[in-house]
Amino acid sequence: MLLVAYFILALTVLSVCAIATNGAVQGGGAYFMISRTLGPEVGGSIGLMFYLANVCGCAVSLLGLVESVLDVFGADATGPSGLQVLPQGYGWNLLYGSLLLGLVGGVCTLGADLYARASFLTFLLVSGSLTSVLISFVAVGPRNIPLTPRPGRNGSSLPPRFGHFTGFNSSTLKDNLGAGYAEDYTTGAMMNFASVFAVLFNGCTGIMAGANMSGELKDPSRAIPLGTIVAVAYTLFVYVLLFFLSSCTCDRTLLQEDYGFFRAISLWPPLVLIGIYATALSASMSSLIGASRILHALARDDLFGVILAPAKVVSQGGNPWGAVLYSWGLVQLVLLAGKLNTIAAVVTVFYLVAYAAVDLSCLSLEWASAPNFRPTFSLFSWHTCLLGVASCLLMMFLISPGAAGGSLLLMGLLAALLTARGGPSSWGYVSQALLFHQVRKYLLRLDVRKDHVKFWRPQLLLLVGNPRGALPLLRLANQLKKGGLYVLGHVTLGDLDSLPSDPVQPQYGAWLSLVDRAQVKAFVDLTLSPSVRQGAQHLLRISGLGGMKPNTLVLGFYDDAPPQDHFLTDPAFSEPVDNTREGGSPALSTLFPPPRAPGSPRALSPQDYVATVADALKMNKNVVLARASGALPPERLSRGSGGTSQLHHVDVWPLNLLRPRGGPGYVDVCGLFLLQMATILGMVPAWHSARLRIFLCLGPREAPGAAEGRLRVLLSQLRIRAEVQEVVWGEGAEAGEPEAEEEGDFVNSRQGDAEAEALARSANALVRAQQGRGTGGGPGGPEGGDAEGPTTALTFLYLPRPPADPARYPRYLALLETLSRDLGPTLLVHGVTPVTCTDL
């Protein structure tokens, strides 16, 4: 048991030494180390548990001291050396414990200097007592030691019994090698390895005493490792020596029946009592003052709010007497329990949780491979840290599975509470370093040469001018990403040569706050460029890393609609922000300029807008243009379910409506991309209630039903559930429409603008007519009820390629405006890469 205990302690000491020599350690000891490594949530929860462990440890030491005093001076003391002067009973025992707690608390309240002097005095007394005991083992001859008589079954006394001090005897050693567990004298339960280890381990928990006093040490980084290692080695030597001498000279009966047998074999028994009492007082003072320092550090960090506010009070000399009184009161409550060994098991589990956290902190720092983790103490590795964590957790559950599970549950609840309250963000989180290390490793393993179409997912780059007007589009794009990369891009106009510093870097904080408040899973990428078009090219080329780079550009539609300020109406942005805690940021309304006034100049011209679309397609990027996304109801953009029972349609037009003649009645790569994006949107909980409708335009020489049949087969292979409807395209256009030229559509046609405009108006009327038309009574249609029928929530339209001649860009944009006018929320999509697969 001793070797197991010190094996765990040694592993933890190595971790403590490593962390303590890697930087300045302030007050709070182990709590400070854990919280500044694992963060305030884990550090605060474990720090509070470590504080409770010290509080209970102080109570255990005081109960042990009361027990040892009453063994000699108690009225019920029946041993041969009992003086029987002190009354006994639960109330009296509590009184004695409270008086001793008053003595210990008084010393700790007066400050660390008095505690240090008292500790040194108790060290001298214990050393003298220990020396006398060691000499007695050799100097005293064999003797029989009377034991406390046991009452008989009928109240009669049993014959006197004796334990035997045999002197050094190999037979005595051999007889003592077995376990031979007996009943616990306080609870009557049969003891076992775990319960005895729990009591034994309490005698080894002082390794953090020096670390807990880190705020009072002149040079903690030197004193903590040196003092802790020397203390552990010294106490291990003393324990091993006492265990060996006892097992060689005292029979099992004496060891089990007389807990004060050192007195019976001592040359001068009172010196043994002095040593025992000094040891218990020293341990209780160490636990109480350590607990007060931990509590003061917790209160100073303001993790638990007003609950720990009294613990912030300090004297002029810096002594946290408020925390001492706070801890004093809690120890008094623990003394009410009175069951020493029961408390010992809980205390041991709490200590092991704290030790495991210290090992985990060091392990995290080692695995993170941060360049600034350079401890001057190097006798450790990640193997020792990991073994320390595993050993602590294993012993926790061996000692008391219930207490171990309860402690971990308590830690989780406290961590959740601290996470909900928010904590300081300036401490540095090792989790960020670990994430960086792991992400870098796996990004290197993400080989773009091994990409396969069946694992394709959209990776979006959304270009945003002012997020005040783009908030609905921000959330819609977040729904379209399907676990893929999502980057918010913004171009700041300017030339770095003419500026004293980069204006982009200070903006990142505001954009990251925007991502947090909008609750979207997006990265932020900002750039400085003389024009928006050049900036868009920069972002398309350099956004992302390795195999995670945008494959789809998302833009808001370029029209004359007055910009809206969605910050004023969105609940997430209209609620006040608590900026009182560390890490708070100014309100987002002050970080982004107000929306552009109607009629004011734009940063992007229509020519450059279309050119940006053309640039993206040249770079083999898919393009999505979003129009009227602000008209989407808020429940459609929420993170949860749609929250409405009304049926809605998502309409998909996978064919080019600006190609009136000669176009296929079947979808191409771009049309399949539209289907994929619409299907992905339907996977989002907020869109589960929406029904997908696909409209096919009949070709001039194609019989009705042929294209629909082929598409239904394809949809079945792609596992897409949708309603397919055929519409006759051309019935609304004027007779004698001119044929498009070699490229087959009016976008690139050299015919007059009037014909192209008429075609766009006709296509727009066709789409609007289908939006107002229900699904009827056919398969997939609504079942009874709603008189108005389902409405179209979102429309996907085929986006034609921009013309090859830049002079036609304004005409192209005008055609798109006419095509998508008054359609409600609309996505014009052009896909250039295959995204669907029918293979397994």
Side-chain angles (χ1 to χ4, degrees), residues 78-135:
T78 55
S81 58
L83 300 180
Q84 300 180 341
V85 295
L86 294 176
Q88 288 186 243
Y90 174 77
W92 288 106
N93 293 1
L94 179 61
L95 175 62
Y96 302 146
S98 301
L99 293 175
L100 292 172
L101 175 60
L103 173 63
V104 171
V107 172
C108 295
T109 304
L110 293 177
D113 290 340
L114 182 59
Y115 162 76
R117 293 189 181 95
S119 295
F120 185 70
L121 176 60
T122 56
F123 172 73
L124 294 179
L125 293 174
V126 171
S127 299
S129 175
L130 180 62
T131 302
S132 73
V133 169
L134 296 177
I135 294 174

Side-chain angles (χ1 to χ4, degrees), residues 638-655:
S638 65
R639 300 179 64 186
S641 61
T644 176
S645 59
Q646 185 181 6
L647 291 175
H648 290 271
H649 287 145
V650 173
D651 291 349
V652 181
W653 296 78
L655 299 178

Side-chain angles (χ1 to χ4, degrees), residues 19-311:
I19 298 176
T21 58
N22 189 55
V25 180
Q26 301 176 17
Y31 157 71
F32 183 85
M33 299 178 190
I34 297 170
S35 62
R36 268 46 175 191
T37 303
L38 300 181
E41 293 84 6
V42 177
S45 59
I46 295 179
L48 186 60
M49 294 176 63
F50 190 44
Y51 165 73
L52 295 176
N54 278 273
V55 167
C56 294
C58 179
V60 167
S61 299
L62 291 173
L63 288 174
L65 178 56
V66 171
E67 183 180 290
S68 61
V69 169
L70 294 178
D71 279 346
V72 180
F73 301 100
D76 298 335
T78 55
S81 58
L83 300 180
Q84 300 180 341
V85 295
L86 294 176
Q88 288 186 243
Y90 174 77
W92 288 106
N93 293 1
L94 179 61
L95 175 62
Y96 302 146
S98 301
L99 293 175
L100 292 172
L101 175 60
L103 173 63
V104 171
V107 172
C108 295
T109 304
L110 293 177
D113 290 340
L114 182 59
Y115 162 76
R117 293 189 181 95
S119 295
F120 185 70
L121 176 60
T122 56
F123 172 73
L124 294 179
L125 293 174
V126 171
S127 299
S129 175
L130 180 62
T131 302
S132 73
V133 169
L134 296 177
I135 294 174
S136 299
F137 274 113
V138 180
V140 175
R143 61 177 64 177
N144 295 330
I145 301 173
L147 301 176
T148 302
R150 290 182 176 179
R153 292 184 178 180
N154 299 324
S156 59
S157 298
L158 295 176
R161 296 180 305 122
F162 296 90
H164 302 285
F165 178 77
T166 64
F168 289 95
N169 189 309
S170 60
S171 298
T172 304
L173 176 62
K174 183 178 180 181
D175 292 340
N176 284 329
L177 290 180
Y181 296 111
E183 290 185 356
D184 178 13
Y185 67 100
T186 61
T187 62
M190 179 61 67
M191 302 296 282
N192 53 37
F193 179 92
S195 56
V196 175
F197 180 83
V199 179
L200 169 71
F201 195 79
N202 271 279
C204 312
T205 53
I207 62 167
M208 292 294 186
N212 292 340
M213 296 291 294
S214 56
E216 277 77 22
L217 300 175
K218 293 181 179 179
D219 187 4
S221 296
R222 177 183 178 276
I224 290 176
L226 179 61
T228 305
I229 292 175
V230 170
V232 169
Y234 177 76
T235 54
L236 175 61
F237 172 76
V238 170
Y239 275 135
V240 170
L241 188 59
L242 287 176
F243 283 18
F244 178 75
L245 294 176
S246 300
S247 58
C248 288
T249 58
C250 303
D251 68 354
R252 183 181 298 274
T253 303
L254 176 63
L255 294 176
Q256 286 187 334
E257 299 289 340
D258 187 355
Y259 300 107
F261 70 92
F262 280 169
R263 299 199 310 274
I265 65 172
S266 176
L267 293 173
W268 190 46
L271 190 57
V272 175
L273 288 178
I274 293 173
I276 292 174
Y277 299 162
T279 301
L281 284 173
S282 176
S284 58
M285 283 193 299
S286 173
S287 297
L288 183 59
I289 199 165
S292 66
R293 268 47 182 181
I294 297 170
L295 183 66
H296 178 63
L298 283 165
R300 190 179 59 234
D301 290 336
D302 197 26
L303 296 182
F304 292 93
V306 296
I307 298 176
L308 300 184

